[in-house]
Structures are given as structure tokens and as C-alpha cells.
Amino acid sequence: MSEDAPNGQEPSELVVTNDLSELTRVSAWVHAWSQQHGMTDRTVERLDLCSTEAVTNIIMHGYADSAAHEIALRLDCRHDSLALEIQDDGGAFDPRQVNDPQPAATLEDAQVGGWGVQMIRRFSDGWHYGRSGDRNHLTIVFRLSHPCHGGQPRHHVVE
Amino acid sequence: MELTTEQLEDGVEKIALAGRMDSAGTQEIDLRFTGLTATRPALIVVDMSRVSFLASIGIRTLVSNAKALGRRGGRMVLAGPQPLVEEVLKLAGIDSFIPVYADVGSACAGLKTAAAERSE
């Protein structure tokens, strides 16, 4: 069954371009979709952070040229698990291979960047990566504390 | 994002940030923030209480400004982060090299104590 809802509901897919200003649209979409699918505030926070970090990484590091590229996002909710799928045509990049930054005890020793992948690792429950043709496929998985609903009005009594 | 400044007692300066500290938001305040930390040895409290979201790009800005300030003999601390923002700061280990206080008052006290220790 498709999660796409024809009745004026937030679509389960979003395509953005490789411009950092698009992050605002990604976050608005995540929030609207989550609200319609009964996500908890905590799930929305995790989804917001992970989608922001993953798309930021692609935009900032994924492309060798300065041309416009499309990044496709999809949310897929099945029972107690939510998958955020992200596809891009940037250079091959498996974020799972990136190590967390070394913890620093002093400001002098601290590195300035490199926190994004660590955020995804800690705020999600798992991830898969694949490369097919010229595209990266990253799926970030979140376990849900209660099953999602499809955006339909909830019935208080189900018999 | 919004950035406002306020001169507090004893030479401590407050920089209050508000909004989503993602790439779009951080871009809006980055230049002004850098201007406030890159030129003089100030004691700065960054009031995070109205920051609703902190992404890695925002952490980058906080760390690079704290470093710039430290190189000039100044010091930066953070105050009053909301729970999600505090979780992100701790997860990245930022609180081990940029002190995080519950509110602006305790941040000021901490800054002054550290400054006094250094000048002894």
C-alpha cells in the first residue's frame, strides 16, 4: 500500500536541489508529514536532525561541479519502523565509513567540523547504504514507540 | 535567526541567539557572530535559550568562534540550552571544552571565576 495520500495530505516524497536554502523546505516537509502520520515529538526531532545532516552533507560535499542537482527524499512508515530514504547523484559516499570525531578535552584540540555523520549515527536506529549506477541510496531507520497511522482520521473505537 | 547583544555587568557581553541553527539560520548570523569574537579578548555568554534546533553546521560556528576568542585571550560559554540542543551539544562532546551553564546568571559567575583564576 502506498503511503502517498491523494486527499490533500503531505506527500511522502520530496525533491530538493543542492542549495542549502532547501534545508528549510526539508524541515517543513518532515514536520508536516510527521504530524499527519502521528509521529511523537521525539521522532520528529530525530527525523529533523537526521534529514538536515544527511542533506547538508550531500549539498556541501557531494558534488564536484557547480551544476544544479536533485536530491530525492522519501518517508516510508511500516508498523513500528520509519525509513527515511535519500537518493542523490553526487560522488559515491558511504557515511557509515566515517568515524566519529575524536573527543577533545580542550578548545585548542577541538576540531571545528565533522559532527554531522555522528548526529545521524546517534539519533537514528540504523542505516543502509548502496550505490547503483551514479546514485547514492541512503536509508536511515527509526524505531517507533507505537505504530504509525496512514494519515487518515483516527477512529477512537475499532471493532 | 536573530542575534542580539547586551553588555552585562563586569565586562561580560551577552550574545542572544534565537531560531533554528541549521545551515540557513547559521548563515544569517555567522558574519556578525564572527565580528564579535574575532577582534577582542571579550568574555562572552551565548544565550541559547531561544535556539530551538542545533545542527552540526551550527556547532561548527560555535566552536570556531570560541576558538577565535580563545586565541585572543577571551572566553566563551553557553547558557540555557533547550533539552534537544543540550543533547546535541553533549553528544558531540562540546560541553567538555565550551562550558554549558543552565542560565545566563550562572554562566556569568563561571566566566568571572575563570577570568579571575587566569589573572592570578
Side-chain angles (χ1 to χ4, degrees):
Chain A
M1 191 183 89
S2 171
E3 293 293 330
D4 285 322
N7 305 324
Q9 294 182 15
E10 196 63 24
S12 297
E13 293 172 11
L14 177 74
V15 176
V16 297
T17 57
N18 55 323
D19 187 309
L20 287 175
S21 67
E22 293 278 72
L23 269 303
T24 307
R25 217 150 65 83
V26 171
S27 176
W29 170 70
V30 160
H31 278 88
W33 186 93
S34 297
Q35 192 178 11
Q36 288 182 348
H37 289 76
M39 297 294 135
T40 62
D41 290 349
R42 180 61 182 168
T43 301
V44 182
E45 286 178 354
R46 299 164 73 206
L47 193 52
D48 195 3
L49 259 174
C50 292
S51 56
T52 295
E53 298 299 349
V55 175
T56 299
N57 245 345
I58 293 167
I59 294 173
M60 290 181 71
H61 307 297
Y63 303 103
D65 60 29
S66 55
H69 295 266
E70 287 190 342
I71 302 163
L73 296 99
R74 184 166 186 275
L75 284 164
D76 188 12
C77 193
R78 290 180 191 173
H79 308 295
D80 59 354
S81 166
L82 171 64
L84 167 66
E85 299 166 17
I86 303 173
Q87 289 191 38
D88 68 87
D89 64 348
F93 175 65
D94 181 356
R96 299 173 309 170
Q97 305 304 321
V98 176
N99 293 324
D100 286 351
Q102 285 294 318
T106 68
L107 188 57
E108 273 179 0
D109 294 339
Q111 58 185 80
V112 169
W115 315 101
V117 170
Q118 184 183 21
M119 291 298 148
I120 301 173
R121 187 174 280 128
R122 302 298 167 78
F123 279 91
S124 70
D125 293 307
W127 48 0
H128 314 286
Y129 170 81
R131 176 94 178 167
S132 60
D134 62 350
R135 295 181 77 77
N136 295 304
H137 297 251
L138 179 66
T139 302
I140 305 171
V141 180
F142 306 86
R143 277 195 301 274
L144 304 175
S145 52
H146 58 268
C148 58
H149 61 88
Q152 302 299 325
R154 275 180 161 169
H155 298 287
H156 293 292
V157 180
V158 180
E159 294 184 304
Chain B
M1 285 193 75
E2 287 172 38
L3 183 157
T4 53
T5 61
E6 185 185 343
Q7 199 66 45
L8 305 176
E9 289 173 24
D10 299 325
V12 175
E13 188 165 347
K14 182 175 91 170
I15 297 177
L17 302 177
R20 275 177 70 87
M21 212 162 172
D22 56 8
S23 53
T26 303
Q27 226 166 15
E28 289 165 7
I29 52 125
D30 215 11
L31 264 181
R32 277 191 67 204
F33 202 163
T34 306
L36 292 164
T37 57
T39 52
R40 62 232 157 88
L43 299 177
I44 291 180
V45 175
V46 181
D47 183 354
M48 300 287 288
S49 61
R50 291 174 61 214
V51 174
S52 57
F53 181 88
L54 176 64
S56 60
I57 208 156
I59 297 178
R60 176 186 288 267
T61 287
L62 293 174
V63 173
S64 69
N65 280 298
K67 275 176 173 279
L69 200 55
R71 280 195 294 270
R72 279 159 186 78
R75 190 171 164 85
M76 188 178 106
V77 300
L78 307 178
Q82 296 178 16
L84 175 66
V85 171
E86 185 172 22
E87 186 179 356
V88 168
L89 288 168
K90 287 190 170 163
L91 199 148
I94 304 302
D95 59 328
S96 62
F97 52 85
I98 303 178
V100 180
Y101 293 92
D103 52 51
V104 170
S106 51
C108 285
L111 258 182
K112 282 182 273 184
T113 306
E117 280 170 2
R118 191 182 297 183
S119 64
E120 271 171 12

